[in-house]
Amino acid sequence: MPAFTVLNPATEEPVAEVEQTSAEETDAAIARAVAAQAAWRMVAPGERAALLRAFADVVGAHIGELAELETAGSGHPAGQARWEAGNVRDVLRYYAAAPERLCGKQIPVPGGLNVTFHEPIGVVGVIVPWNFPMPILGWGVAPALAAGNPVLAKPAERTPLTAVRIGELALEAGLPEGVFQVLPGKGSVVGQRLIDHPDVRKIVFTGSSEVGREIMAGCARQVKRVTMELGGKSANIVFADADLERAAATAPVAAFDNAGQDCCARSRILVQREVYGRFLELLEPAVKAVAVGDPAREDTEMGPLISAEHRAKVASYVPDGAPVAFRGSAPDGAGYWYPPTVLAPVRLDDPAYVEEVFGPVVAVVPFEDEAQAVAMANDTPYGLSGSVWTRDVGRAIRVARAVETGNLSVNSHSSVRYWTPFGGFKQSGLGRELGPDALDAFTETKNVFIATDQ
Ligand code: NDP
């Protein structure tokens, strides 16, 4: 199979050549996973826990190396990349505790009792996008392994380096052969095979809603289990009574984290009309202060976009004559740079307001009252994330309940933690990842009746 050349998005220079897995090699990997399955599910819970802890420790001992790979291959700022590698370690550690708590129920029934078991589903395919190659890998892989399933992970073609290394670290930590395999390659080849192959019993897909729809249809042919984490167009709702300074100071992180290539990006800022002007005044210096540049530097906050094609797509949302209120900076020269960009005022049918840009472009629009804010926030096919800024506790709860999204924050820009459930409403996804109940998605409940009558 041909190799893919991973480019450094900050320099456009080659970083590594990665062999693409073929359909035949994918089938062979699936066969190895099936062969590993019987032994893995029978590993005693405490032993499986110990192996996952060892895996977490080995990842933890390679944070610097993994972060450097991510900075070179994906353009993530060094500090962010270290956080992401640490997130893989922490997620593995969190789910290492799960095998020993995978308890069923006993239910009294006439003539006996029923007991329930949480059985592993079987081979799980985890399909990962390019924007957060490490955390999204960990969020699917760790609970799937903890539940006793072998896992095949397909990183995005462009960003395979850290996943491949994490696969090697799993073996170093002592995970049995075939239990966790990483298959770099194309979605249309490796991903499609995972969907079509009957021995793969579940797909965990994170990516665009467009590809997600195809994958769901593919899985439907075999009634294959599927979890989907898809796109977003989240609203950051700022009421007039909010701490405007904090809301404005954190809005750039909420919108431009990972150069806006973030499914949870709060890319629409809705501001109550009476403070709209003041909010923009506060937002401007915060946006201009975002340190955009060489991701290998410790003080860099925002790196480049992933590719030239993606930059062209992002730029298409800001054509000549677009209502650019102000912008941050970006380096010239090599690299897929795009400056943090604020559009205001924006028409509500402007594609930059309606569609997922997946880049550092945010639209700021005014609203009149609570009802209109909720209606505007919900006027999208997506429903992944969002924030509410207000000092009125009742309103905070009311609005958080009324906004149709899976993950909200009140007076904070962040809502994703591995110990709380994560997932979307509407076209942002199906099912939940993370949190204390994450193993439910990787097990089947079996119900057994035991007669006690003579
Ligand atoms: P894509 O949907 O293009 O790709 C995601 C993954 O699916 C890649 O590994 C890709 O492979 C693979 N793939 C593509 N086609 C197929 C196919 N026919 N069968 C199986 N697999 C396939 O998304 P992007 O990588 O462009 O990621 C960006 C999108 O992901 C955004 O919409 C973003 O919102 C969303 N996302 C959602 C998150 C969430 O948790 N809700 C989190 C992060 C991102 P390859 O590209 O290598 O060919």
Side-chain angles (χ1 to χ4, degrees), residues 288-301:
K288 291 188 168 162
V290 177
V292 184
D294 179 1
R297 284 181 58 131
E298 285 300 324
D299 55 356
T300 293
E301 293 171 309

Side-chain angles (χ1 to χ4, degrees), residues 27-45:
D27 283 354
I30 294 169
R32 284 195 294 277
V34 170
Q37 186 175 336
W40 182 239
R41 66 179 288 163
M42 293 312 289
V43 171

Side-chain angles (χ1 to χ4, degrees), residues 10 119 175 201 215 260 303 320 351 363 379 395:
E119 306 287 12
L175 256 71
R201 296 288 168 76
I215 289 184
D320 288 346
D379 187 18
R395 175 155 60 196

Side-chain angles (χ1 to χ4, degrees), residues 128 130-131 154 157 187 192 205 207-208 229-231 263 356 358:
V128 180
W130 48 259
N131 64 329
K154 194 212 87 67
E157 186 182 22
Q192 196 62 49
F205 172 75
S208 59
E229 297 292 355
L230 309 174
C263 51
E356 183 181 45
F358 224 53

Side-chain angles (χ1 to χ4, degrees), residues 39-40 42-59 92-93 95-97 99-100 145-146 169-177 179:
W40 182 239
M42 293 312 289
V43 171
E47 178 64 13
R48 205 185 303 143
L51 284 165
L52 290 175
R53 274 188 212 108
F55 187 7
D57 289 346
V58 176
V59 169
L92 282 166
R93 223 170 247 164
Y95 288 108
E100 292 171 296
L145 289 174
L169 296 178
L171 292 174
E172 209 175 289
L175 256 71
E177 290 277 342
V179 164

Side-chain angles (χ1 to χ4, degrees), residues 291-318:
V292 184
D294 179 1
R297 284 181 58 131
E298 285 300 324
D299 55 356
T300 293
E301 293 171 309
M302 190 181 120
L305 294 171
I306 190 69
S307 65
E309 301 91 288
H310 190 57
R311 179 174 59 184
K313 184 186 160 213
V314 170
S316 74
Y317 284 99
V318 191

